[in-house]
Amino acid sequence: MSTPKEVKVIQTPLPGIGLRLEFVTAAGQRVGVVQRQQGNLELFISHADDPDLAATSLNLTENEVSTLTGLLGGSAFSHELSHLQEAAGSIAVDWLPIKARTRYAERRLGDTHLRAHTGVSVVAVIRKGAAVPSPSPEFTFAAGDVIVAVGTAEGLAEAALILQSEP
Amino acid sequence: MRGALLLELGAVMLSLTVLARVAARYSFSPIPLYLGLGLLLSEHGVVSLDVSREFIHAGAEIGAILLLFLLGVEYSVGELAAGVKRAPVSGTVDFGLNFFPGFIAGWALGWPLTAAFLLGGVTYISSSGIAAKLIRDLGWLGNRETPAVLSILVIEDLVMALYLGVAAALVLGASAGGIAWSILGAVAVVGAVLVVASRFGGHISRMVFGQSDETVLLGLLGMVLLVAGIAEQVGVSAAVGAFLVGLAISGEAARRADRLLGPLRDLFGAIFFVFFGLQVDPSTIPPVLVPALVLVVAAAVGKLITGSVAGRRIGASKGSRLRAGSLLIARGEFSIIIAELGVEAGLEPQLAPLATAVVFGLAVLGPVAVHVAGATHRHTPSSPIRSP
């Protein structure tokens, strides 16, 4: 996380579509992702000759995103945190409880589709005072767990709503 | 004859399918083809529809309402405000360069001022449907100019909501007091909807959560039609009412509304274009071809300049600015909705053929220009990115 030269991530809202996060590589190409409101993620890399043109754009599913994150080496946890630092203005952390007799108590993290529906990332789950960092989609919730989630204020509010829904 | 209605509708739908496929095959918008089909089927056209006209008329009204409703659904109130704040200069340039060609042309042709005002709306508003589809299909979400283009489209959509309110009042032939009343009404409705949206948005979302698709579909459709109908009764345009209801819906509920009502919008939207074409006598088109051509050129140049201005403000390269302008060239669904206001009221016989020809030209030219602009990227070093 502590690189000699901090990479600056630029955030641009795309009205009606979602949010674009991008940075410029040392070689001068733009690389970024578009978080669609529908939940899917699009990765783009600019053209070698024309940095203003997206030469490659890939639609990625949630599983593909976590696979790619894994391939790139870092844990999802540290990536989320570095995002957090750069976009501190609009990104917030929230603690969301899993209450008994709600829809997702006893169900898996993947079943909530939180990232897809709200753009919120679950960076850890706190269970009985201990934190489980970067829980996998297979992680099964128990009543009393507290989710540590990162996202926009809007996304977090929606996530809270989803987690409160009844079975 | 029993069954004739089904026969006619079936034939119209199948023709639309063929046209949609042709358009998709050559990656351009089906809107001009739908309009063309309407022309062929009009009273003086090749084949005349008789029994299904009324159904198509009703379907067209629903189509126009759904187009505006789902446009509103796409945006949240916050996004609209942010969009306007981000590109006020380009938005103003856009209006100046693209409203006045239509308005002046109408005036020069000796039309009533209201009809000229509507023609200004026809040339002003870009087709956000066509632009969004081009951006998606070409994988241009990552392009430098994309946020600027989207901001301009947001401003246009917002201006259109106000514009439709004023236009509806003008068409009703209201006195100055009547227009003021209508605008006041629109502002009151907008205010009420925004308050409801920010206060009860969560409740609406929750309401939509647990229900079955069927309940949500019927509930949303009923609510939109009812509000649109009320809006029309009080002299605010039905389309504006639908747009506002759409704005009030956000988050998960918006995604669900889009998924459930999107297919209905596509169906009735297509019928809307056919219906507009139906009202035009094909023999009235050749006499307006010269003004139409002038307007197509002026309106295309107007958008290219708009794109260039918007691009320059975010430090985009030449190629990027060209792409921005060309994305804005296509006019489509909203231009036709505006023209329909005047056609329905019988304001000016030349409005329908001229609007048809202009939209036809620009809806074809826009995507072509975008493909050309996309093919002409060169080595163009550009300035560092910065948030707009």
Side-chain angles (χ1 to χ4, degrees), chain B residues 9-74:
Chain B
L9 279 180
V12 169
M13 296 292 170
L14 273 181
S15 318
L16 288 173
T17 317
V18 173
L19 296 177
R21 286 199 64 145
V22 170
R25 171 74 185 72
Y26 298 100
S27 60
F28 65 95
S29 162
I31 292 174
L33 299 182
Y34 294 165
L35 286 172
L37 180 68
L39 279 181
L40 291 181
L41 299 176
S42 72
E43 241 170 286
H44 308 277
V46 183
V47 204
S48 177
L49 288 182
D50 20 81
V51 282
S52 53
R53 248 189 122 88
E54 263 179 51
F55 177 85
I56 289 181
H57 187 176
E61 275 193 48
I62 296 174
I65 284 165
L66 286 180
L67 277 166
L68 265 292
F69 169 65
L70 286 173
L71 179 73
V73 163
E74 249 175 62

Short mmCIF file of all heavy atoms in Angstrom, two decimals, chain B residues 9-74:
data_model
loop_
_atom_site.label_atom_id
_atom_site.label_comp_id
_atom_site.label_asym_id
_atom_site.label_seq_id
_atom_site.Cartn_x
_atom_site.Cartn_y
_atom_site.Cartn_z
N LEU B 9 -52.12 -5.45 -36.50
CA LEU B 9 -51.11 -5.26 -35.47
C LEU B 9 -49.96 -6.23 -35.65
O LEU B 9 -48.78 -5.87 -35.51
CB LEU B 9 -51.72 -5.43 -34.08
CG LEU B 9 -52.47 -4.22 -33.55
CD1 LEU B 9 -53.01 -4.53 -32.16
CD2 LEU B 9 -51.55 -3.01 -33.50
N GLY B 10 -50.31 -7.47 -35.94
CA GLY B 10 -49.28 -8.49 -36.14
C GLY B 10 -48.35 -8.10 -37.27
O GLY B 10 -47.12 -8.19 -37.14
N ALA B 11 -48.94 -7.62 -38.37
CA ALA B 11 -48.12 -7.23 -39.51
C ALA B 11 -47.22 -6.05 -39.15
O ALA B 11 -46.03 -6.03 -39.51
CB ALA B 11 -49.02 -6.87 -40.70
N VAL B 12 -47.78 -5.07 -38.39
CA VAL B 12 -46.97 -3.92 -38.00
C VAL B 12 -45.80 -4.37 -37.12
O VAL B 12 -44.65 -3.99 -37.33
CB VAL B 12 -47.84 -2.88 -37.25
CG1 VAL B 12 -46.96 -1.81 -36.60
CG2 VAL B 12 -48.83 -2.23 -38.20
N MET B 13 -46.11 -5.22 -36.12
CA MET B 13 -45.05 -5.68 -35.20
C MET B 13 -43.95 -6.42 -35.95
O MET B 13 -42.76 -6.21 -35.70
CB MET B 13 -45.63 -6.64 -34.15
CG MET B 13 -46.63 -6.00 -33.22
SD MET B 13 -45.84 -4.82 -32.15
CE MET B 13 -47.27 -4.06 -31.42
N LEU B 14 -44.38 -7.31 -36.87
CA LEU B 14 -43.36 -8.08 -37.60
C LEU B 14 -42.50 -7.15 -38.45
O LEU B 14 -41.28 -7.34 -38.52
CB LEU B 14 -44.04 -9.13 -38.48
CG LEU B 14 -44.32 -10.46 -37.77
CD1 LEU B 14 -44.96 -11.45 -38.73
CD2 LEU B 14 -43.03 -11.05 -37.20
N SER B 15 -43.13 -6.14 -39.06
CA SER B 15 -42.34 -5.20 -39.85
C SER B 15 -41.34 -4.48 -38.96
O SER B 15 -40.19 -4.27 -39.34
CB SER B 15 -43.24 -4.16 -40.53
OG SER B 15 -44.40 -4.77 -41.04
N LEU B 16 -41.80 -4.11 -37.76
CA LEU B 16 -40.91 -3.42 -36.82
C LEU B 16 -39.72 -4.30 -36.46
O LEU B 16 -38.59 -3.84 -36.36
CB LEU B 16 -41.67 -3.03 -35.54
CG LEU B 16 -42.68 -1.89 -35.67
CD1 LEU B 16 -43.47 -1.72 -34.39
CD2 LEU B 16 -41.97 -0.59 -36.02
N THR B 17 -40.00 -5.60 -36.27
CA THR B 17 -38.91 -6.53 -35.93
C THR B 17 -37.86 -6.54 -37.02
O THR B 17 -36.66 -6.47 -36.75
CB THR B 17 -39.45 -7.97 -35.81
OG1 THR B 17 -40.66 -7.91 -35.09
CG2 THR B 17 -38.46 -8.87 -35.15
N VAL B 18 -38.35 -6.64 -38.28
CA VAL B 18 -37.42 -6.69 -39.40
C VAL B 18 -36.57 -5.41 -39.40
O VAL B 18 -35.34 -5.46 -39.53
CB VAL B 18 -38.18 -6.83 -40.74
CG1 VAL B 18 -37.23 -6.71 -41.91
CG2 VAL B 18 -38.92 -8.16 -40.78
N LEU B 19 -37.24 -4.27 -39.20
CA LEU B 19 -36.52 -2.99 -39.22
C LEU B 19 -35.51 -2.91 -38.08
O LEU B 19 -34.38 -2.45 -38.27
CB LEU B 19 -37.51 -1.83 -39.12
CG LEU B 19 -38.48 -1.70 -40.30
CD1 LEU B 19 -39.47 -0.57 -40.06
CD2 LEU B 19 -37.72 -1.49 -41.60
N ALA B 20 -35.92 -3.38 -36.89
CA ALA B 20 -35.01 -3.33 -35.74
C ALA B 20 -33.78 -4.18 -36.02
O ALA B 20 -32.65 -3.82 -35.66
CB ALA B 20 -35.72 -3.82 -34.48
N ARG B 21 -34.01 -5.31 -36.69
CA ARG B 21 -32.87 -6.20 -37.00
C ARG B 21 -31.93 -5.56 -38.01
O ARG B 21 -30.71 -5.63 -37.88
CB ARG B 21 -33.37 -7.53 -37.55
CG ARG B 21 -33.96 -8.42 -36.49
CD ARG B 21 -34.00 -9.84 -36.96
NE ARG B 21 -32.65 -10.36 -37.18
CZ ARG B 21 -32.30 -11.61 -36.96
NH1 ARG B 21 -33.18 -12.46 -36.51
NH2 ARG B 21 -31.08 -12.02 -37.19
N VAL B 22 -32.53 -4.94 -39.03
CA VAL B 22 -31.71 -4.27 -40.03
C VAL B 22 -30.86 -3.19 -39.36
O VAL B 22 -29.65 -3.08 -39.58
CB VAL B 22 -32.59 -3.64 -41.13
CG1 VAL B 22 -31.76 -2.74 -42.04
CG2 VAL B 22 -33.27 -4.74 -41.95
N ALA B 23 -31.51 -2.40 -38.48
CA ALA B 23 -30.81 -1.31 -37.81
C ALA B 23 -29.67 -1.86 -36.95
O ALA B 23 -28.56 -1.33 -36.95
CB ALA B 23 -31.77 -0.50 -36.95
N ALA B 24 -29.95 -2.95 -36.22
CA ALA B 24 -28.93 -3.53 -35.35
C ALA B 24 -27.78 -4.08 -36.18
O ALA B 24 -26.61 -3.95 -35.81
CB ALA B 24 -29.54 -4.63 -34.49
N ARG B 25 -28.12 -4.67 -37.33
CA ARG B 25 -27.11 -5.27 -38.20
C ARG B 25 -26.09 -4.22 -38.65
O ARG B 25 -24.89 -4.47 -38.70
CB ARG B 25 -27.82 -5.91 -39.40
CG ARG B 25 -26.94 -6.41 -40.51
CD ARG B 25 -26.22 -7.70 -40.12
NE ARG B 25 -25.28 -8.13 -41.14
CZ ARG B 25 -24.12 -7.52 -41.39
NH1 ARG B 25 -23.80 -6.45 -40.71
NH2 ARG B 25 -23.31 -7.97 -42.32
N TYR B 26 -26.58 -3.03 -39.00
CA TYR B 26 -25.67 -1.98 -39.46
C TYR B 26 -25.40 -0.96 -38.37
O TYR B 26 -24.98 0.15 -38.64
CB TYR B 26 -26.24 -1.32 -40.73
CG TYR B 26 -26.36 -2.32 -41.85
CD1 TYR B 26 -27.58 -2.92 -42.16
CD2 TYR B 26 -25.23 -2.70 -42.58
CE1 TYR B 26 -27.68 -3.87 -43.17
CE2 TYR B 26 -25.32 -3.65 -43.59
CZ TYR B 26 -26.54 -4.23 -43.88
OH TYR B 26 -26.62 -5.18 -44.86
N SER B 27 -25.66 -1.35 -37.15
CA SER B 27 -25.45 -0.54 -35.94
C SER B 27 -25.84 0.92 -36.11
O SER B 27 -25.05 1.82 -35.92
CB SER B 27 -24.01 -0.66 -35.43
OG SER B 27 -23.09 -0.22 -36.38
N PHE B 28 -27.08 1.15 -36.52
CA PHE B 28 -27.61 2.50 -36.40
C PHE B 28 -28.99 2.43 -35.76
O PHE B 28 -29.49 1.35 -35.48
CB PHE B 28 -27.62 3.25 -37.73
CG PHE B 28 -28.53 2.67 -38.78
CD1 PHE B 28 -29.81 3.17 -38.94
CD2 PHE B 28 -28.09 1.66 -39.62
CE1 PHE B 28 -30.64 2.66 -39.91
CE2 PHE B 28 -28.92 1.14 -40.59
CZ PHE B 28 -30.20 1.63 -40.74
N SER B 29 -29.56 3.60 -35.48
CA SER B 29 -30.79 3.63 -34.70
C SER B 29 -32.00 3.19 -35.53
O SER B 29 -32.13 3.55 -36.70
CB SER B 29 -31.02 5.05 -34.19
OG SER B 29 -32.36 5.19 -33.80
N PRO B 30 -32.91 2.41 -34.95
CA PRO B 30 -34.11 2.00 -35.69
C PRO B 30 -35.16 3.12 -35.80
O PRO B 30 -36.10 2.99 -36.57
CB PRO B 30 -34.66 0.84 -34.87
CG PRO B 30 -34.17 1.08 -33.49
CD PRO B 30 -32.86 1.80 -33.62
N ILE B 31 -34.97 4.22 -35.06
CA ILE B 31 -36.01 5.26 -35.01
C ILE B 31 -36.39 5.77 -36.41
O ILE B 31 -37.58 5.82 -36.74
CB ILE B 31 -35.58 6.43 -34.10
CG1 ILE B 31 -35.54 5.94 -32.64
CG2 ILE B 31 -36.54 7.61 -34.21
CD1 ILE B 31 -35.00 6.95 -31.66
N PRO B 32 -35.41 6.12 -37.28
CA PRO B 32 -35.82 6.61 -38.60
C PRO B 32 -36.61 5.56 -39.38
O PRO B 32 -37.53 5.92 -40.14
CB PRO B 32 -34.50 6.95 -39.30
CG PRO B 32 -33.41 6.47 -38.43
CD PRO B 32 -33.96 6.25 -37.07
N LEU B 33 -36.27 4.29 -39.19
CA LEU B 33 -36.99 3.24 -39.92
C LEU B 33 -38.43 3.12 -39.40
O LEU B 33 -39.36 2.91 -40.18
CB LEU B 33 -36.26 1.90 -39.76
CG LEU B 33 -34.84 1.87 -40.31
CD1 LEU B 33 -34.22 0.49 -40.16
CD2 LEU B 33 -34.83 2.28 -41.78
N TYR B 34 -38.60 3.24 -38.08
CA TYR B 34 -39.95 3.20 -37.52
C TYR B 34 -40.80 4.34 -38.08
O TYR B 34 -41.97 4.16 -38.44
CB TYR B 34 -39.92 3.30 -36.00
CG TYR B 34 -39.26 2.13 -35.28
CD1 TYR B 34 -38.89 2.23 -33.94
CD2 TYR B 34 -39.03 0.92 -35.93
CE1 TYR B 34 -38.31 1.17 -33.27
CE2 TYR B 34 -38.43 -0.14 -35.26
CZ TYR B 34 -38.07 -0.01 -33.93
OH TYR B 34 -37.50 -1.05 -33.27
N LEU B 35 -40.18 5.54 -38.13
CA LEU B 35 -40.90 6.69 -38.68
C LEU B 35 -41.28 6.42 -40.13
O LEU B 35 -42.40 6.70 -40.57
CB LEU B 35 -40.02 7.95 -38.63
CG LEU B 35 -39.81 8.62 -37.28
CD1 LEU B 35 -38.76 9.72 -37.40
CD2 LEU B 35 -41.12 9.19 -36.76
N GLY B 36 -40.33 5.84 -40.86
CA GLY B 36 -40.56 5.54 -42.28
C GLY B 36 -41.70 4.56 -42.45
O GLY B 36 -42.55 4.72 -43.34
N LEU B 37 -41.78 3.55 -41.57
CA LEU B 37 -42.88 2.59 -41.64
C LEU B 37 -44.21 3.31 -41.44
O LEU B 37 -45.19 3.04 -42.15
CB LEU B 37 -42.69 1.50 -40.58
CG LEU B 37 -43.79 0.42 -40.57
CD1 LEU B 37 -43.69 -0.43 -41.83
CD2 LEU B 37 -43.69 -0.46 -39.34
N GLY B 38 -44.22 4.23 -40.48
CA GLY B 38 -45.43 5.02 -40.24
C GLY B 38 -45.85 5.77 -41.50
O GLY B 38 -47.03 5.78 -41.86
N LEU B 39 -44.87 6.37 -42.18
CA LEU B 39 -45.15 7.10 -43.42
C LEU B 39 -45.82 6.21 -44.45
O LEU B 39 -46.82 6.57 -45.08
CB LEU B 39 -43.85 7.64 -44.03
CG LEU B 39 -43.26 8.91 -43.47
CD1 LEU B 39 -41.99 9.26 -44.22
CD2 LEU B 39 -44.26 10.03 -43.59
N LEU B 40 -45.26 5.00 -44.61
CA LEU B 40 -45.79 4.07 -45.61
C LEU B 40 -47.23 3.68 -45.29
O LEU B 40 -48.01 3.39 -46.18
CB LEU B 40 -44.93 2.80 -45.65
CG LEU B 40 -43.52 2.95 -46.20
CD1 LEU B 40 -42.80 1.61 -46.21
CD2 LEU B 40 -43.57 3.52 -47.62
N LEU B 41 -47.55 3.64 -44.00
CA LEU B 41 -48.87 3.16 -43.58
C LEU B 41 -49.88 4.29 -43.41
O LEU B 41 -51.02 4.04 -43.05
CB LEU B 41 -48.75 2.39 -42.26
CG LEU B 41 -47.87 1.14 -42.30
CD1 LEU B 41 -47.74 0.53 -40.92
CD2 LEU B 41 -48.41 0.12 -43.29
N SER B 42 -49.43 5.53 -43.65
CA SER B 42 -50.33 6.66 -43.40
C SER B 42 -51.46 6.69 -44.44
O SER B 42 -51.44 5.95 -45.41
CB SER B 42 -49.56 7.96 -43.42
OG SER B 42 -49.19 8.27 -44.74
N GLU B 43 -52.42 7.55 -44.21
CA GLU B 43 -53.64 7.59 -45.02
C GLU B 43 -53.35 7.65 -46.52
O GLU B 43 -54.03 7.05 -47.32
CB GLU B 43 -54.48 8.80 -44.60
CG GLU B 43 -55.83 8.39 -44.07
CD GLU B 43 -56.51 9.59 -43.44
OE1 GLU B 43 -56.11 9.99 -42.32
OE2 GLU B 43 -57.42 10.12 -44.09
N HIS B 44 -52.30 8.45 -46.85
CA HIS B 44 -51.98 8.59 -48.27
C HIS B 44 -50.79 7.74 -48.63
O HIS B 44 -50.20 7.89 -49.69
CB HIS B 44 -51.70 10.06 -48.59
CG HIS B 44 -52.80 10.97 -48.13
ND1 HIS B 44 -53.94 11.18 -48.88
CD2 HIS B 44 -52.96 11.67 -46.98
CE1 HIS B 44 -54.74 12.01 -48.20
NE2 HIS B 44 -54.17 12.30 -47.04
N GLY B 45 -50.41 6.85 -47.74
CA GLY B 45 -49.23 6.02 -47.97
C GLY B 45 -49.53 4.83 -48.86
O GLY B 45 -50.58 4.76 -49.51
N VAL B 46 -48.60 3.88 -48.86
CA VAL B 46 -48.72 2.72 -49.74
C VAL B 46 -49.87 1.81 -49.31
O VAL B 46 -50.74 1.46 -50.09
CB VAL B 46 -47.39 1.94 -49.73
CG1 VAL B 46 -47.47 0.78 -50.70
CG2 VAL B 46 -46.23 2.87 -50.10
N VAL B 47 -49.85 1.42 -48.04
CA VAL B 47 -50.93 0.60 -47.49
C VAL B 47 -51.53 1.41 -46.35
O VAL B 47 -50.79 1.97 -45.57
CB VAL B 47 -50.41 -0.72 -46.87
CG1 VAL B 47 -51.49 -1.76 -46.85
CG2 VAL B 47 -49.15 -1.19 -47.55
N SER B 48 -52.83 1.45 -46.27
CA SER B 48 -53.42 2.24 -45.20
C SER B 48 -53.96 1.34 -44.11
O SER B 48 -54.60 0.33 -44.37
CB SER B 48 -54.53 3.11 -45.77
OG SER B 48 -55.13 3.83 -44.73
N LEU B 49 -53.64 1.71 -42.86
CA LEU B 49 -54.19 0.97 -41.73
C LEU B 49 -55.56 1.54 -41.44
O LEU B 49 -55.76 2.74 -41.50
CB LEU B 49 -53.33 1.20 -40.49
CG LEU B 49 -51.97 0.55 -40.44
CD1 LEU B 49 -51.33 0.88 -39.11
CD2 LEU B 49 -52.07 -0.95 -40.60
N ASP B 50 -56.56 0.71 -41.17
CA ASP B 50 -57.81 1.33 -40.75
C ASP B 50 -58.24 0.93 -39.36
O ASP B 50 -58.52 1.78 -38.53
CB ASP B 50 -58.93 1.10 -41.77
CG ASP B 50 -58.65 -0.06 -42.68
OD1 ASP B 50 -58.89 -1.20 -42.25
OD2 ASP B 50 -58.15 0.18 -43.78
N VAL B 51 -58.26 -0.38 -39.08
CA VAL B 51 -58.84 -0.77 -37.79
C VAL B 51 -57.93 -0.56 -36.59
O VAL B 51 -58.39 -0.35 -35.48
CB VAL B 51 -59.32 -2.24 -37.80
CG1 VAL B 51 -60.63 -2.35 -38.53
CG2 VAL B 51 -58.29 -3.14 -38.41
N SER B 52 -56.60 -0.62 -36.81
CA SER B 52 -55.72 -0.59 -35.64
C SER B 52 -55.25 0.82 -35.29
O SER B 52 -54.48 1.01 -34.37
CB SER B 52 -54.50 -1.49 -35.87
OG SER B 52 -53.88 -1.15 -37.08
N ARG B 53 -55.73 1.82 -36.03
CA ARG B 53 -55.27 3.20 -35.80
C ARG B 53 -55.48 3.66 -34.36
O ARG B 53 -54.60 4.26 -33.75
CB ARG B 53 -56.02 4.14 -36.73
CG ARG B 53 -55.15 4.77 -37.80
CD ARG B 53 -55.93 5.85 -38.51
NE ARG B 53 -55.21 7.13 -38.40
CZ ARG B 53 -54.29 7.51 -39.27
NH1 ARG B 53 -53.96 6.73 -40.28
NH2 ARG B 53 -53.68 8.65 -39.13
N GLU B 54 -56.68 3.36 -33.86
CA GLU B 54 -57.00 3.84 -32.51
C GLU B 54 -56.10 3.19 -31.46
O GLU B 54 -55.62 3.84 -30.55
CB GLU B 54 -58.46 3.53 -32.17
CG GLU B 54 -59.35 4.72 -32.41
CD GLU B 54 -60.79 4.38 -32.09
OE1 GLU B 54 -61.04 3.85 -30.98
OE2 GLU B 54 -61.66 4.62 -32.95
N PHE B 55 -55.90 1.88 -31.66
CA PHE B 55 -55.03 1.18 -30.72
C PHE B 55 -53.62 1.77 -30.77
O PHE B 55 -52.99 2.01 -29.75
CB PHE B 55 -54.97 -0.31 -31.05
CG PHE B 55 -54.03 -1.07 -30.15
CD1 PHE B 55 -54.46 -1.55 -28.93
CD2 PHE B 55 -52.70 -1.27 -30.52
CE1 PHE B 55 -53.59 -2.22 -28.09
CE2 PHE B 55 -51.83 -1.94 -29.68
CZ PHE B 55 -52.27 -2.42 -28.46
N ILE B 56 -53.16 2.04 -32.00
CA ILE B 56 -51.81 2.57 -32.16
C ILE B 56 -51.72 3.97 -31.54
O ILE B 56 -50.71 4.32 -30.91
CB ILE B 56 -51.41 2.58 -33.65
CG1 ILE B 56 -51.18 1.13 -34.09
CG2 ILE B 56 -50.16 3.41 -33.88
CD1 ILE B 56 -50.76 0.96 -35.51
N HIS B 57 -52.80 4.74 -31.66
CA HIS B 57 -52.81 6.06 -31.05
C HIS B 57 -52.66 5.96 -29.53
O HIS B 57 -51.83 6.63 -28.91
CB HIS B 57 -54.12 6.79 -31.41
CG HIS B 57 -54.14 8.22 -30.96
ND1 HIS B 57 -55.17 9.07 -31.24
CD2 HIS B 57 -53.25 8.93 -30.25
CE1 HIS B 57 -54.90 10.26 -30.73
NE2 HIS B 57 -53.75 10.20 -30.12
N ALA B 58 -53.46 5.07 -28.92
CA ALA B 58 -53.39 4.89 -27.46
C ALA B 58 -52.00 4.37 -27.07
O ALA B 58 -51.39 4.84 -26.11
CB ALA B 58 -54.48 3.93 -27.00
N GLY B 59 -51.51 3.41 -27.85
CA GLY B 59 -50.19 2.84 -27.57
C GLY B 59 -49.10 3.91 -27.64
O GLY B 59 -48.16 3.92 -26.84
N ALA B 60 -49.26 4.83 -28.61
CA ALA B 60 -48.27 5.88 -28.78
C ALA B 60 -48.23 6.79 -27.56
O ALA B 60 -47.16 7.20 -27.10
CB ALA B 60 -48.58 6.70 -30.03
N GLU B 61 -49.41 7.10 -27.01
CA GLU B 61 -49.43 7.95 -25.82
C GLU B 61 -48.71 7.28 -24.66
O GLU B 61 -47.94 7.90 -23.94
CB GLU B 61 -50.88 8.24 -25.41
CG GLU B 61 -51.46 9.42 -26.16
CD GLU B 61 -52.76 9.90 -25.52
OE1 GLU B 61 -52.79 10.08 -24.28
OE2 GLU B 61 -53.74 10.08 -26.26
N ILE B 62 -48.99 5.97 -24.50
CA ILE B 62 -48.31 5.23 -23.43
C ILE B 62 -46.81 5.20 -23.70
O ILE B 62 -46.00 5.35 -22.79
CB ILE B 62 -48.88 3.79 -23.34
CG1 ILE B 62 -50.35 3.85 -22.94
CG2 ILE B 62 -48.08 2.95 -22.35
CD1 ILE B 62 -51.04 2.50 -22.96
N GLY B 63 -46.45 5.03 -24.96
CA GLY B 63 -45.03 4.98 -25.32
C GLY B 63 -44.31 6.26 -24.94
O GLY B 63 -43.22 6.22 -24.34
N ALA B 64 -44.92 7.41 -25.26
CA ALA B 64 -44.27 8.69 -24.94
C ALA B 64 -44.09 8.83 -23.43
O ALA B 64 -43.05 9.29 -22.95
CB ALA B 64 -45.11 9.85 -25.48
N ILE B 65 -45.11 8.39 -22.68
CA ILE B 65 -45.04 8.50 -21.22
C ILE B 65 -43.95 7.59 -20.65
O ILE B 65 -43.18 7.98 -19.79
CB ILE B 65 -46.43 8.18 -20.62
CG1 ILE B 65 -47.34 9.39 -20.84
CG2 ILE B 65 -46.33 7.85 -19.14
CD1 ILE B 65 -48.79 9.11 -20.62
N LEU B 66 -43.87 6.36 -21.19
CA LEU B 66 -42.86 5.43 -20.68
C LEU B 66 -41.45 5.90 -21.02
O LEU B 66 -40.51 5.72 -20.24
CB LEU B 66 -43.10 4.02 -21.22
CG LEU B 66 -44.28 3.29 -20.59
CD1 LEU B 66 -44.43 1.90 -21.20
CD2 LEU B 66 -44.11 3.17 -19.08
N LEU B 67 -41.28 6.50 -22.22
CA LEU B 67 -39.95 7.01 -22.60
C LEU B 67 -39.47 8.03 -21.57
O LEU B 67 -38.34 7.98 -21.11
CB LEU B 67 -40.03 7.68 -23.98
CG LEU B 67 -39.93 6.76 -25.20
CD1 LEU B 67 -40.36 7.49 -26.46
CD2 LEU B 67 -38.51 6.23 -25.36
N LEU B 68 -40.37 8.94 -21.19
CA LEU B 68 -40.00 9.98 -20.23
C LEU B 68 -39.85 9.41 -18.82
O LEU B 68 -38.96 9.80 -18.08
CB LEU B 68 -41.07 11.09 -20.23
CG LEU B 68 -40.81 12.30 -21.10
CD1 LEU B 68 -39.64 13.09 -20.55
CD2 LEU B 68 -40.50 11.92 -22.54
N PHE B 69 -40.73 8.48 -18.47
CA PHE B 69 -40.68 7.89 -17.13
C PHE B 69 -39.33 7.20 -16.90
O PHE B 69 -38.65 7.44 -15.92
CB PHE B 69 -41.83 6.89 -16.95
CG PHE B 69 -41.70 6.05 -15.71
CD1 PHE B 69 -41.78 6.62 -14.46
CD2 PHE B 69 -41.51 4.67 -15.80
CE1 PHE B 69 -41.65 5.85 -13.31
CE2 PHE B 69 -41.38 3.90 -14.66
CZ PHE B 69 -41.45 4.49 -13.41
N LEU B 70 -38.94 6.35 -17.86
CA LEU B 70 -37.71 5.60 -17.66
C LEU B 70 -36.48 6.49 -17.79
O LEU B 70 -35.43 6.18 -17.23
CB LEU B 70 -37.65 4.40 -18.61
CG LEU B 70 -38.62 3.29 -18.17
CD1 LEU B 70 -38.70 2.18 -19.19
CD2 LEU B 70 -38.21 2.72 -16.82
N LEU B 71 -36.62 7.60 -18.50
CA LEU B 71 -35.53 8.59 -18.52
C LEU B 71 -35.34 9.13 -17.11
O LEU B 71 -34.22 9.25 -16.61
CB LEU B 71 -35.86 9.72 -19.49
CG LEU B 71 -34.81 10.82 -19.57
CD1 LEU B 71 -33.59 10.33 -20.32
CD2 LEU B 71 -35.36 12.07 -20.22
N GLY B 72 -36.46 9.45 -16.44
CA GLY B 72 -36.39 9.96 -15.07
C GLY B 72 -35.83 8.90 -14.12
O GLY B 72 -35.06 9.22 -13.22
N VAL B 73 -36.21 7.65 -14.34
CA VAL B 73 -35.76 6.57 -13.48
C VAL B 73 -34.23 6.45 -13.50
O VAL B 73 -33.60 6.19 -12.48
CB VAL B 73 -36.39 5.23 -13.93
CG1 VAL B 73 -35.65 4.05 -13.33
CG2 VAL B 73 -37.86 5.19 -13.53
N GLU B 74 -33.65 6.70 -14.68
CA GLU B 74 -32.21 6.58 -14.83
C GLU B 74 -31.46 7.54 -13.92
O GLU B 74 -30.35 7.25 -13.49
CB GLU B 74 -31.84 6.94 -16.27
CG GLU B 74 -31.36 5.78 -17.08
CD GLU B 74 -31.14 6.22 -18.50
OE1 GLU B 74 -30.29 7.09 -18.71
OE2 GLU B 74 -31.84 5.71 -19.39
#
